[in-house]
Amino acid sequence: RIRSYTVVSFAPESMSRYAPYIVGVAEVEGGMSLMGQLTGVTPSTLKVGLLVQIVAHQPDTDRIVYKFKPA
């Protein structure tokens, strides 16, 4: 469930090709919170409380990052 989010318009150089993009904090089972990029939403369709699922994304062979998409 999304707890908070922001639209990143001025991204760091490593992420500039993706800007603007949405980053959110989601509460997962057990009360833990994770931060990740939100996909499949726009600022007008996104709201606090939206149910999301975690999607693992491997941008390169050295790392895995988490993204969220609507459940």
Side-chain angles (χ1 to χ4, degrees):
R1 187 175 304 271
I2 294 297
R3 294 180 63 189
S4 181
Y5 64 91
T6 189
V7 177
V8 179
S9 298
F10 299 99
E13 187 175 329
S14 63
M15 293 291 289
S16 63
R17 66 180 175 206
Y18 304 110
Y21 58 92
I22 304 170
V23 173
V25 175
E27 183 177 328
V28 296
E29 291 180 27
M32 186 172 79
S33 295
L34 287 175
M35 183 171 72
Q37 185 178 358
L38 286 143
T39 61
V41 294
T42 64
S44 62
T45 61
L46 184 58
K47 62 182 179 181
V48 171
L50 178 71
L51 291 176
V52 292
Q53 65 184 60
I54 300 170
V55 179
H57 174 69
Q58 190 167 11
D60 54 49
T61 58
D62 295 343
R63 62 188 174 128
I64 295 174
V65 297
Y66 298 105
K67 293 187 177 190
F68 304 115
K69 69 177 188 177

